[in-house]
């Protein structure tokens, strides 16, 4: 690969580090050998020939001995120098292979990161083996998948919002053009219809803003100890007139002496009102809606049960998704954009609770459950 031994590259650094280690080893080996070899040589000779082997008076013998020692030391140094040279050569080759093994996955990771930064969110790094670099690559791929997911959701959100805006805007444009062309009477009824669409847009903008704040974690919860019965009573007080007007019975059943929950009362009331509002919307006159609250482990569990139109099984897993509506035409007429339950889910999860739905099917009514953690006195 071009520039693989470029200045400052990891391979070059690894190679330099290896070479330095080998050079340090060779120098140490050479130095220590030359330092200790003569005395070791003497000791071995004494052990072999006795302590007086070198105490000869013969000048020729003394000179011979000195020469033998010098040749021995020189031979040793040369052998060591040659073996160090060969060792360095072999080490360079091994080091090149080793540094390639380490640097190559990192280089691939770098390329993948650059491609993702350039917007290619499908890019993944190859994962080979199970050592640290492979685990790093696997973790990198998990992060890339999360980024891809976020990007897909962002694109889908823009598409959904554009779609939601288009219908009311088209309706408003239709009325205004009709009035300009004198095909539609500019009377109170027409303006009321235009106002309906404007209100729909306003509600959508408000819902979207609320959703983005909750999902971004920008909603600060004023958490206190809240009595479940007080929350139910507040929701009842708000919605009872609308239930009476439609002819749907609303009942509250809270298990006596329930412990308080740790919650922001305004936010939980928002969830309860949303669920009750839906129950009222999808329950025909003569039906019934029951709110229950009971202890379940470390939580209090609410259930909002209605005898309304029910929900088919295939829709249940998607109900809390953004803009998901079972029957788009029907809910459009009633004003829903399919964001209410998404906000409820985000709010409940912000409290550390869970939310889910059950329904036996169409015409069988539906029950929405959510839990909130119990209040611990010293939390
Ligand atoms: P919307 O504002 O459209 O009601 P929600 O997020 O509150 O949006 O609800 C999403 C969809 O879930 C609704 O469009 C409706 O089809 C379905 N739904 C919600 N509550 C009920 C219920 N109690 N009974 C039947 N269907 C329901």
């Amino acid at each position: 690969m071009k520039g693989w031994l470029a200045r400052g590259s990891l391979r070059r650094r690894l190679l330099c580090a290896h070479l330095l280690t080998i050079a340090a080893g060779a120098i140490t080996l050479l130095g220590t050998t030359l330092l200790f070899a003569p005395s070791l040589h003497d000791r071995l000779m004494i052990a072999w020939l006795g302590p007086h082997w070198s105490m000869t008076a013969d000048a020729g013998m003394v000179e011979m001995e000195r020469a033998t020692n010098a040749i021995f030391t020189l031979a040793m140094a040369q052998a060591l120098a040659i073996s160090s040279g060969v060792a360095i050569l072999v080490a360079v080759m091994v080091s090149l292979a080793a540094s390639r093994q380490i640097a190559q996955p990192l280089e691939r990771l770098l390329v993948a990161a650059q491609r993702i930064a350039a917007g290619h969110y499908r890019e993944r790094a190859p994962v080979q083996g199970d050592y640290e670099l492979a685990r790093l690559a696997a973790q990198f791929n998990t992060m890339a998948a999360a980024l891809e997911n976020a990007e897909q959701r962002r694109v889908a959100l823009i598409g959904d919002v554009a779609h939601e805006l288009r219908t009311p805007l088209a309706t408003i444009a239709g009325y205004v053009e009709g009035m300009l062309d004198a095909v539609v009477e500019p009377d109170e009824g027409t303006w009321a219809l235009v106002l309906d669409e404007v209100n729909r847009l306003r509600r959508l903008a408000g819902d979207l803003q609320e959703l983005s704040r909750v999902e971004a974690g920008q909603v600060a919860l004023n958490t206190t100890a809240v009595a479940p019965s007080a929350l139910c009573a507040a929701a009842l007080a708000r919605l009872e007139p609308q239930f009476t007007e439609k002819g749907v019975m609303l009942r509250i059943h809270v298990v006596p002496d329930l412990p308080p929950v740790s919650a922001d009362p305004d936010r939980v009331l928002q969830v309860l009102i949303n669920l009750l509002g839906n129950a009222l919307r999808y329950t025909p006159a003569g039906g019934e809606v029951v709110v229950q609250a009971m202890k379940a482990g470390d939580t209090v569990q609410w259930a909002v049960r209605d005898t309304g139109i029910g929900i088919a099984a295939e829709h249940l897993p998607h109900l809390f998704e953004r803009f998901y509506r079972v029957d788009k035409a029907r809910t459009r007429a009633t004003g829903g954009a399919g964001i209410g339950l998404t906000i409820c889910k985000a709010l409940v999860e912000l409290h550390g609770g869970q939310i889910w739905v059950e329904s036996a099917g169409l015409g069988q009514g539906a029950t929405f459950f959510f839990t909130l953690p119990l209040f611990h006195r010293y939390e």
Side-chain angles (χ1 to χ4, degrees):
M1 191 191 291
K2 198 177 151 221
W4 64 273
L5 264 182
R7 212 159 210 288
S9 74
L10 180 65
R11 283 193 195 195
R12 190 187 169 117
R13 279 163 194 255
L14 284 171
L15 185 65
C16 288
H18 287 159
L19 288 182
L20 271 177
T21 316
I22 295 157
I27 290 169
T28 317
L29 195 68
L30 206 66
T32 8
T33 310
L34 292 180
L35 192 69
F36 292 111
S39 55
L40 281 174
H41 173 260
D42 286 352
R43 274 175 52 191
L44 286 174
M45 290 304 272
I46 289 170
W48 183 30
L49 299 173
H52 307 296
W53 72 279
S54 65
M55 292 179 182
T56 170
D58 185 338
M61 280 299 281
V62 169
E63 191 47 40
M64 174 92 168
E65 237 178 76
R66 201 172 291 142
T68 317
N69 269 349
I71 287 170
F72 167 73
T73 311
L74 192 66
M76 199 92 133
Q78 278 179 356
L80 276 172
I82 293 169
S83 57
S84 295
V86 174
I88 286 178
L89 216 71
V90 172
V92 166
M93 287 190 301
V94 173
S95 156
L96 281 177
S99 60
R100 188 164 169 264
Q101 277 280 327
I102 297 173
Q104 212 170 40
L106 283 175
E107 280 157 5
R108 290 202 190 119
L109 209 60
L110 184 71
V111 171
Q114 281 167 339
R115 281 190 53 79
I116 287 177
H120 303 282
Y121 294 98
R122 298 228 165 133
E123 190 71 28
R124 296 292 182 271
V127 182
Q128 283 153 0
D130 186 33
Y131 64 115
E132 287 89 339
L133 282 178
R135 291 211 295 277
L136 176 67
Q139 206 52 46
F140 174 89
N141 287 347
T142 311
M143 190 191 71
L147 269 177
E148 187 186 357
N149 198 281
E151 177 61 11
Q152 276 171 356
R153 290 200 324 185
R154 190 183 69 81
V155 171
L157 175 67
I158 294 173
D160 287 340
V161 172
H163 179 81
E164 293 302 322
L165 291 175
R166 201 174 297 126
T167 315
L169 283 173
T171 315
I172 293 170
Y175 284 127
V176 174
E177 278 165 15
M179 287 190 276
L180 282 173
D181 296 345
V183 188
V184 176
E185 282 288 317
D187 57 17
E188 216 171 275
T190 311
W191 287 120
L193 289 170
V194 172
L195 188 62
D196 267 358
E197 295 301 322
V198 172
N199 282 335
R200 195 191 299 280
L201 284 174
R202 190 182 290 161
R203 205 162 37 232
L204 176 66
D207 281 355
L208 280 173
Q209 192 177 21
E210 173 82 352
L211 179 65
S212 75
R213 285 186 51 212
V214 179
E215 285 192 340
Q218 287 172 355
V219 171
L221 294 181
N222 294 319
T223 312
T224 53
V226 190
S229 55
L231 285 171
C232 292
L236 180 80
R238 283 277 184 97
L239 290 173
E240 205 167 23
Q242 293 171 38
F243 275 80
T244 314
E245 191 185 326
K246 188 172 175 184
V248 175
M249 171 107 96
L250 174 60
R251 286 195 300 123
I252 305 276
H253 179 71
V254 179
V255 170
D257 299 327
L258 266 186
V261 287
S262 173
D264 180 332
D266 290 341
R267 294 302 182 172
V268 180
L269 197 59
Q270 187 180 345
V271 172
L272 262 177
I273 287 175
N274 211 311
L275 296 181
L276 280 170
N278 277 351
L280 174 64
R281 192 182 291 164
Y282 301 111
T283 304
E288 186 186 52
V289 175
V290 183
V291 182
Q292 290 174 312
M294 67 192 86
K295 193 161 174 282
D298 256 5
T299 65
V300 167
Q301 179 179 301
W302 272 265
V304 178
R305 199 180 303 278
D306 65 55
T307 57
I309 62 169
I311 302 157
E314 72 259 29
H315 296 296
L316 290 175
H318 306 289
L319 236 51
F320 297 95
E321 287 170 13
R322 213 160 33 197
F323 296 114
Y324 193 86
R325 287 167 300 195
V326 172
D327 179 345
K328 296 209 175 198
R330 185 207 298 256
T331 43
R332 175 165 298 289
T334 51
I339 303 179
L341 287 177
T342 319
I343 295 177
C344 287
K345 183 174 190 290
L347 282 176
V348 168
E349 287 176 357
L350 209 60
H351 280 87
Q354 285 181 316
I355 188 165
W356 69 99
V357 57
E358 288 174 10
S359 172
L362 279 179
Q364 309 284 310
T367 308
F368 285 82
F369 297 91
F370 70 93
T371 59
L372 290 177
L374 291 180
F375 180 79
H376 296 291
R377 197 171 294 276
Y378 302 108
E379 67 181 4

